[in-house]
């Protein structure tokens, strides 16, 4: 739906008033500038250095045999999904670590990496060290993201096909929000953003999502059975309450709205409600987004264990933290997470 303010502006311009035409031109130029500025910030991983991009990785060195993943995934285990909605095909260290850590902690699951930038008919992956490394894991599959096919059969197909959709200021984040709820609705399993480091198996966290901070849920981690009614309500809310001009309206705010109606409650807390769990903050968001700098502070072994003793995965808040300098090796919390939970990626970081 076109905002009412734009409709009013167009009506004024059509009345042939010169000052209104000037205003419209000014608004258009301003919008284009904002779009360009936000586009820079919406995909921070694309600016992370990817040294040795074409380097081949030795699987025997990167993926030791004791991992117990030689047999590959089991059809009975749910999938773990990662989605890259931008066109970039040069995964960062954090992207690689996210997928590697999920593959190591979910040896019986297929870890599906869906990337919009991959050619649909080309079976070979781009030459990049991250693809080479991740291909060493027999349970990792990297495939093109076909958005038309993904949204088919859902109310989001019509939303996605609207011609002016790509002009919205937060299109990529909103597109990511759409993909995750449709994946959970159609296929079920686990969805993770590409800035998570997974510490342990997530399969027992079924029909669950995490509390980001007080009274706010976040969709960076989702785990649901296929065709779950909660996800159906999320898809309906996405379309009925759509507003692509407000940051988070289709993401954390949507999940929070739906959960409060689902229960119904006024304030969200760690709880199980009608079969859906709101997980305590420490489970998948142990570092609040307001305190993301703690990821780059040194911690000793005792502090490390105490902080993460009840944690299944750590969200790195890459939108905020991508520009911070990380010393490798070091005792920084993030460096220790890399070292312990994605050692192959960590070895590449040290080499570079």
């Amino acid at each position: 739906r076109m905002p009412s303010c734009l409709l009013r502006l167009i009506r004024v311009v059509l009345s042939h008033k010169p000052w209104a035409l000037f205003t419209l031109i000014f608004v258009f130029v301003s919008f284009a500038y904002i779009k360009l500025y936000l586009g820079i910030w919406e995909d921070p991983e694309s600016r992370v250095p990817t040294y040795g991009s074409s380097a081949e990785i030795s699987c025997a060195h990167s993926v030791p045999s004791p991992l117990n993943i030689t047999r590959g995934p089991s059809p009975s285990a749910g999938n773990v999904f990662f989605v890259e909605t931008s066109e970039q095909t040069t995964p960062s260290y954090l992207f690689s670590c996210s997928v590697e850590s999920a593959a190591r902690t979910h040896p019986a699951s297929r870890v599906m990496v869906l990337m919009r930038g991959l050619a649909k008919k080309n079976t070979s992956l781009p030459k990049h060290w991250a693809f080479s490394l991740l291909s060493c894991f027999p349970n990792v599959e990297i495939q093109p993201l076909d958005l038309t096919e993904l949204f088919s059969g859902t109310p989001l197909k019509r939303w996605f096909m609207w011609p002016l959709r790509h002009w919205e200021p937060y299109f990529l984040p909103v597109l990511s929000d759409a993909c995750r709820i449709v994946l959970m609705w159609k296929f079920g399993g686990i969805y993770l953003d590409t800035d998570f480091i997974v510490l342990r198996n997530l399969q027992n966290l079924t029909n669950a999502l995490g509390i980001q901070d007080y009274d706010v849920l976040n969709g960076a981690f989702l785990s649901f059975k296929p065709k779950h009614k909660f996800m159906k309500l999320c898809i309906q809310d996405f379309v009925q309450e759509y507003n692509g001009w407000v940051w988070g309206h289709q993401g954390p705010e949507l999940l929070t709205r739906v959960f409060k109606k689902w229960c119904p409650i006024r304030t969200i807390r760690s709880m199980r409600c009608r079969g859906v769990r709101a997980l305590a903050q420490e489970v998948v968001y142990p570092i609040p987004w307001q305190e993301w700098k703690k990821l780059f502070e040194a911690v000793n072994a005792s502090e490390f264990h105490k902080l993460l003793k009840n944690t299944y995965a750590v969200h790195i808040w890459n939108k905020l933290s991508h520009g911070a300098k990380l010393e490798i090796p070091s005792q920084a919390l993030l460096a220790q997470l890399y070292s312990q939970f994605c050692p192959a990626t960590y070895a590449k970081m040290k080499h570079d």
Side-chain angles (χ1 to χ4, degrees):
R1 294 191 296 268
M2 186 176 293
S4 59
C5 60
L6 289 181
L7 290 173
R8 289 195 298 269
L9 186 58
I10 291 172
R11 291 193 190 102
V12 172
V13 171
L14 292 177
S15 67
H16 304 291
K17 295 181 179 179
W19 62 267
L21 181 60
F22 172 79
T23 302
L24 181 60
I25 294 173
F26 176 79
V27 169
F28 177 79
V29 173
S30 300
F31 175 80
Y33 174 80
I34 293 172
K35 177 67 178 176
L36 177 62
Y37 177 80
L38 289 173
I40 295 173
W41 287 95
E42 281 171 1
D43 186 24
E45 288 190 353
S46 64
R47 301 194 310 283
V48 177
T50 54
Y51 300 105
S53 61
S54 62
E56 292 295 325
I57 301 294
S58 170
C59 291
H61 173 73
S62 301
V63 188
S65 57
L67 284 176
N68 191 31
I69 61 174
T70 55
R71 292 177 295 177
S74 167
S76 61
N79 293 333
V80 179
F81 291 99
F82 292 93
V83 174
E84 177 55 67
T85 53
S86 76
E87 299 286 347
Q88 73 98 2
T89 55
T90 55
S92 67
Y93 298 122
L94 181 54
F95 185 114
S96 175
C97 181
S98 297
V99 179
E100 179 186 345
S101 63
R104 290 177 180 273
T105 51
H106 298 77
S109 300
R110 285 198 308 168
V111 179
M112 304 289 295
V113 183
L114 306 177
M115 303 186 70
R116 188 180 175 201
L118 296 181
K120 295 180 177 61
K121 295 183 180 180
N122 191 349
T123 56
S124 62
L125 293 170
K127 291 185 180 298
H128 189 276
W129 67 265
F131 293 128
S132 178
L133 186 153
L134 296 175
S135 296
C136 294
F137 292 86
N139 57 335
V140 172
E141 296 185 23
I142 303 173
Q143 297 182 4
L145 173 61
D146 187 333
L147 292 167
T148 303
E149 180 181 351
L150 177 62
F151 294 139
S152 66
T154 76
L156 294 186
K157 181 179 180 180
R158 184 176 180 182
W159 164 83
F160 177 67
M161 298 302 291
W162 190 55
L164 300 181
R165 186 66 63 205
H166 292 214
W167 283 93
E168 293 178 350
Y170 306 119
F171 173 69
L172 285 181
V174 171
L175 182 60
S176 178
D177 293 330
C179 288
R180 68 191 71 185
I181 61 177
V182 172
L183 283 169
M184 291 297 95
W185 162 248
K186 281 192 168 184
F187 308 108
I190 295 168
Y191 167 84
L192 292 167
D193 274 0
T194 56
D195 57 351
F196 257 110
I197 298 180
V198 186
L199 281 55
R200 62 182 76 173
N201 193 287
L202 298 160
Q203 293 291 359
N204 64 330
L205 302 179
T206 307
N207 299 331
L209 64 171
I211 297 175
Q212 169 185 298
D213 48 29
Y214 174 75
D215 204 36
V216 178
L217 294 169
N218 194 305
F221 158 81
L222 295 172
S223 177
F224 280 87
K225 296 287 187 181
K227 301 299 188 291
H228 196 282
K229 187 176 180 181
F230 183 85
M231 282 294 109
K232 182 178 181 179
L233 292 176
C234 288
I235 291 175
Q236 292 173 351
D237 184 281
F238 189 100
V239 175
Q240 294 170 1
E241 305 295 330
Y242 185 75
N243 188 340
W245 296 74
V246 177
W247 173 261
H249 185 82
Q250 305 304 121
E253 291 185 16
L254 180 152
L255 295 167
T256 303
R257 287 194 304 271
V258 174
F259 191 82
K260 286 183 175 182
K261 294 176 184 177
W262 177 264
C263 289
I265 53 174
R266 289 190 174 183
T267 303
I268 296 176
R269 61 187 185 279
S270 177
M271 62 188 298
R272 181 192 294 269
C273 180
R274 295 174 57 195
V276 177
R277 284 189 284 177
L279 302 172
Q281 189 171 355
E282 62 186 2
V283 178
V284 287
Y285 304 109
I287 307 297
W289 67 267
Q290 301 93 331
E291 302 174 18
W292 64 267
K293 291 183 180 179
K294 285 186 176 180
L295 291 162
F296 299 85
E297 297 174 1
V299 296
N300 58 40
S302 176
E303 293 171 327
F304 185 89
H305 175 73
K306 182 179 179 180
L307 177 64
L308 303 177
K309 65 179 180 178
N310 297 318
T311 299
Y312 282 71
V314 180
H315 194 220
I316 308 303
W317 306 109
N318 189 52
K319 185 173 178 64
L320 300 170
S321 66
H322 70 273
K325 184 178 180 180
L326 177 65
E327 294 291 340
I328 296 292
S330 72
Q331 289 300 109
L333 174 59
L334 182 54
Q336 293 190 57
L337 289 171
Y338 274 111
S339 175
Q340 294 189 34
F341 300 103
C342 55
T345 300
Y346 182 71
K348 174 64 176 171
M349 295 172 75
K350 287 199 300 182
H351 176 269
D352 290 344

